[in-house]
Amino acid sequence: MSQYEIIKDGRCEYFIVTSEFADVTEHFAASELQKYIYQSTNVFIPYFSDRCPRRGKEILVGKAARDNNADIDDVGDEGYVIRTLASDILIAGNTPRGTMYGVYAFLERFLGFRAFTKDVEKIDALAELTIGSCDIREKPAFEYREAYFRFAWDTGFSVKNKLNANLAPIPLERGGKFKFFNCHHSFFDLVPPKYYKETHPEYFSVREDDKVGTQLCLSNPGVVSVAKAQLRRWIRENPTCKVFSIAQNDEVGYCQCPNCRKIDEENGSPSGSIITFVNKLAEDIEKDYPDILLHTFAYAYSEKTPSKVKPRKNVIVRIANIDCHVGAFFDEWAKKGDNVYGARNCRLFMENLSAWTAVCERVYIWGYAVNFRNYLQPLLPIKEFAHNLRLYAKYGVKGVLMQGNFSYGGDASMGDLKAYLFSKLLWNPDADENKIVGEFIDGVYGKGAPYIKEYVRLMSEAVSDRVATIFDNADAEYYSDELIAYCDKLFEQAEAVAETEEIRRRINREHLAMEFMKTVRIEDDERRAEAAENLKKKVIDHKLTEINERINLPLSFEYIKKSRYEKERKNWYNMYYIVR
């Protein structure tokens, strides 16, 4: 096998070259290649465009560099090729974003580069850089890949880990992203009640008790007309958006007027009126905007597929696994029989997954990877996360969002680990999840890594093959007092051997999870209140803003003080802020 000696004896015979007409993303990719090779080897490789004459061997960045006629049709829009030529090396994608991903893949494969978090990276220190002849071709398993964690939306973390997350501020210079205009519940954005409820109450869903519901009347021609106009306005005002959400509100009051009821009865599901409505909008825009996709939910009352109407080609249907228990292989638990606790929800999800992927070209998943009742409560079913992502790929799912803690300040329950794990598995679900987790822990926690690995292993085993939900209380039976006490000691040991204050603080932040679990278990109200105050100080010191989803931080600690396991939450309210 031929050897390509890029750097040897402190010298480099190669030059980095882009096309004279390269766009900003390809220029950025080339500069990243130059920067990180320099960090690794202390050798600075010159970089110029192919407008200049050849000066030696070249690393060509982009399929147009030196008119190399790259054969890369098989890697799609975001894939890449890393190929050795006669004497040159080519890194290229069909799009500038694909080329950029190829550069990061080159750095990962040959220089040991890893972007573990937004603040923690590693790259090997190399005296020589030599690669063998190769023709590496990769493309992502999913066209849309989002780790819905606050810190995962960092621009650098996203692009370096090949996430095209909607909520990450990824500029065109760094390849852009799979941009949505509102990926959430949007019916009342489409037809706002404040403008129409008084003048057109018939635009809103009617229930059997004649009360106005909490959705739209999707069969009403006026609703269709208003929605078409609003959608076209959104498209004109947001020219960089690829996807527009036409999705039911997060309520159950779907319309039961005679016309909507007829459509739903004919289709055997309330999804019938939703898909019929979305299809009308999709048909209206597809000639003028052939690249635009419309996004809707099969969620709660609309989970079941309609028996007659099918989504048009420019429609995305997103299903959620919110009712499944996360400590399970969904397909295997679905076979256990409905008499086994938790199996029925997995069966229904698998039936919906199979049915929707059979009738819709673009099925997306909204997955869950955090305890929303208690953000600091561990939830680490590592092998189950990996298995179920492979399951989605097997069924032909096109996009996946894995939701964690999106609050400002992020979480302290291994959220960074989960975000990194998902970034790798969303690109390649067949990657080894244990290797990914091990590399992350070694890279982030230094000498404390052995203790953190044991903690993650124990927490993973605790929920593996168990009924664990994303709303469990802190007295969940799979977390014994003995387990919490032992894991608490693991963090103390990890902190004791941390080689720097920065690493110790990272460990201390994750230690908050065990301190929370210990605090809420204290029986005596006075002692628990004192411990809660101490925990609150640490939480604030680490800049966390929520420990329960959308609940004001001081109020959360009042719940801990007044109720063991934080079960009694009087005067409950949610801060329904817009996620940015």
Side-chain angles (χ1 to χ4, degrees):
M1 181 173 68
S2 300
Q3 297 295 303
Y4 292 69
E5 294 181 344
I6 300 172
I7 293 171
K8 186 175 182 180
D9 299 327
R11 295 173 57 103
C12 179
E13 296 182 2
Y14 278 81
F15 297 86
I16 297 172
V17 176
T18 56
S19 167
E20 176 183 1
F21 305 105
D23 82 342
V24 290
T25 303
E26 290 173 320
H27 285 302
F28 174 76
S31 67
E32 287 285 272
L33 182 65
Q34 182 186 53
K35 178 180 77 173
Y36 282 109
I37 289 178
Y38 181 57
Q39 283 189 16
S40 173
T41 67
N42 285 326
V43 176
F44 192 74
I45 303 179
Y47 153 46
F48 52 83
S49 83
D50 60 5
R51 181 176 180 177
C52 301
R54 178 182 283 272
R55 297 178 182 274
K57 301 174 184 177
E58 295 180 339
I59 303 176
L60 304 172
V61 178
K63 67 178 184 178
R66 294 285 185 215
D67 296 322
N68 61 76
N69 297 315
D71 175 21
I72 55 176
D73 290 343
D74 58 340
V75 298
D77 288 340
E78 292 187 302
Y80 55 80
V81 166
I82 301 172
R83 179 194 299 163
T84 50
L85 306 174
S87 61
D88 297 337
I89 300 165
L90 172 68
I91 306 173
N94 283 311
T95 63
R97 188 191 302 172
T99 296
M100 180 183 67
Y101 290 159
V103 163
Y104 288 125
F106 181 92
L107 296 170
E108 288 177 350
R109 184 179 289 259
F110 298 115
L111 291 91
F113 175 71
R114 301 290 185 273
F116 293 121
T117 75
K118 70 182 186 69
D119 300 313
V120 183
E121 296 181 356
K122 90 167 252 290
I123 194 163
D124 295 340
L126 300 177
E128 297 183 353
L129 177 57
T130 299
I131 71 172
S133 58
C134 63
D135 188 358
I136 301 164
R137 297 167 179 266
E138 287 192 1
K139 62 181 178 180
F142 303 106
E143 68 179 11
Y144 162 63
R145 306 171 300 282
E146 181 138 18
Y148 202 81
F149 293 72
R150 174 60 58 174
F151 293 153
W153 294 333
D154 176 78
T155 301
F157 177 86
S158 288
V159 299
K160 291 167 187 175
N161 288 296
K162 308 181 190 72
L163 294 168
N164 55 10
N166 168 56
L167 282 171
I170 305 174
L172 289 177
E173 180 193 46
R174 301 198 186 189
K177 61 183 179 179
F178 203 87
K179 189 173 180 181
F180 284 72
F181 180 84
N182 187 351
C183 67
H184 296 276
H185 311 281
S186 64
F187 273 1
F188 282 1
D189 295 328
L190 201 63
V191 183
K194 67 178 180 179
Y195 298 137
Y196 295 103
K197 200 163 189 177
E198 293 297 325
T199 56
H200 290 282
E202 73 276 13
Y203 286 3
F204 302 92
S205 55
V206 175
R207 303 295 291 168
E208 289 181 334
D209 56 11
D210 291 330
K211 292 182 179 179
V212 175
T214 54
Q215 305 288 347
L216 298 176
C217 177
L218 300 176
S219 63
N220 187 294
V223 170
V224 175
S225 178
V226 170
K228 285 180 178 179
Q230 180 72 299
L231 173 60
R232 284 181 172 269
R233 186 177 304 114
W234 287 348
I235 294 172
R236 289 194 302 272
E237 293 174 355
N238 298 274
T240 62
C241 283
K242 178 181 177 65
V243 185
F244 292 80
S245 195
I246 311 296
Q248 70 199 64
N249 297 327
D250 198 8
E251 306 286 350
V252 296
Y254 62 91
C255 190
Q256 295 178 316
C257 77
N259 289 333
C260 286
R261 185 195 295 271
K262 180 182 179 183
I263 296 171
D264 291 341
E265 288 178 349
E266 288 176 348
N267 283 277
S269 170
S271 64
S273 54
I274 292 176
I275 298 301
T276 299
F277 174 73
V278 175
N279 276 352
K280 289 177 182 178
L281 274 61
E283 182 179 14
D284 182 63
I285 66 163
E286 61 188 353
K287 289 183 180 179
D288 295 329
Y289 304 102
D291 296 329
I292 294 295
L293 301 171
L294 300 188
H295 163 266
T296 195
F297 289 135
Y299 174 74
Y301 63 83
S302 64
E303 288 179 342
K304 185 180 177 183
T305 52
S307 58
K308 290 188 176 182
V309 63
K310 294 183 180 181
R312 296 182 74 86
K313 290 183 178 181
N314 55 342
V315 172
I316 297 165
V317 174
R318 192 192 295 265
I319 65 176
N321 60 31
I322 192 168
D323 293 324
C324 294
H325 58 97
V326 290
F329 294 177
F330 294 156
D331 53 339
E332 293 185 8
W333 267 76
K335 300 173 184 176
K336 289 183 178 289
D338 288 2
N339 60 322
V340 175
Y341 182 56
R344 180 177 181 274
N345 289 340
C346 288
R347 175 180 61 79
L348 292 174
F349 174 76
M350 288 304 303
E351 289 175 357
N352 290 330
L353 176 63
S354 178
W356 280 108
T357 52
V359 300
C360 181
E361 289 191 11
R362 276 188 164 92
V363 172
Y364 286 8
I365 297 289
W366 194 298
Y368 301 87
V370 70
N371 185 303
F372 289 103
R373 187 168 180 83
N374 299 306
Y375 275 153
L376 289 176
Q377 186 164 320
L379 190 64
L380 288 167
I382 300 297
K383 68 178 182 181
E384 287 78 14
F385 285 149
H387 174 90
N388 292 328
L389 286 170
R390 292 174 190 131
L391 188 67
Y392 303 151
K394 175 183 174 182
Y395 273 80
V397 167
K398 295 295 192 297
V400 179
L401 175 153
M402 292 298 294
Q403 182 176 352
N405 184 339
F406 52 74
S407 66
Y408 294 94
D411 72 10
S413 190
M414 305 306 292
D416 283 339
L417 167 62
K418 287 184 278 191
Y420 181 76
L421 173 67
F422 294 143
S423 74
K424 299 305 180 188
L425 294 178
L426 288 173
W427 182 272
N428 176 17
D430 293 324
D432 184 341
E433 67 272 18
N434 294 317
K435 181 180 179 182
I436 296 168
V437 168
E439 283 187 343
F440 177 93
I441 295 174
D442 286 336
V444 175
Y445 301 112
K447 292 181 180 179
Y451 304 102
I452 306 302
K453 286 179 181 177
E454 179 67 359
Y455 166 72
V456 170
R457 183 186 71 82
L458 290 171
M459 286 295 154
S460 297
E461 288 183 356
V463 296
S464 183
D465 208 30
R466 307 289 287 275
V467 178
T469 79
I470 58 176
F471 300 107
D472 285 345
N473 284 306
D475 62 348
E477 54 87 20
Y478 43 82
Y479 292 137
S480 67
D481 291 342
E482 293 76 17
L483 176 62
I484 299 303
Y486 182 74
C487 288
D488 186 52
K489 293 294 183 184
L490 289 174
F491 277 106
E492 291 177 356
Q493 292 172 293
E495 289 176 39
V497 299
E499 56 266 50
T500 69
E501 177 59 24
E502 181 182 0
I503 293 175
R504 188 203 65 79
R505 187 166 172 82
R506 289 177 205 155
I507 297 169
N508 184 253
R509 181 184 176 92
E510 299 303 328
H511 194 172
L512 293 176
M514 291 300 96
E515 296 198 46
F516 167 81
M517 296 295 281
K518 285 194 308 177
T519 298
V520 297
R521 290 169 180 243
I522 297 172
E523 291 188 49
D524 181 76
D525 288 351
E526 188 173 335
R527 286 182 53 240
R528 189 174 61 255
E530 182 180 352
E533 274 300 310
N534 290 331
L535 177 60
K536 180 180 176 182
K537 292 175 183 177
K538 294 178 181 179
V539 165
I540 292 173
D541 178 58
H542 281 286
K543 308 300 183 185
L544 275 64
T545 60
E546 295 175 26
I547 61 171
N548 314 121
E549 185 189 15
R550 300 182 190 269
I551 296 179
N552 180 270
L553 191 62
L555 183 59
S556 293
F557 279 98
E558 288 303 309
Y559 294 148
I560 295 175
K561 293 175 184 178
K562 295 177 180 178
S563 171
R564 193 181 183 204
Y565 300 115
E566 202 187 1
K567 282 188 173 181
E568 294 181 20
R569 302 185 181 184
K570 296 179 180 178
N571 301 317
W572 174 287
Y573 71 93
N574 288 108
M575 303 179 292
Y576 199 87
Y577 50 81
I578 301 299
V579 178
R580 287 287 186 266

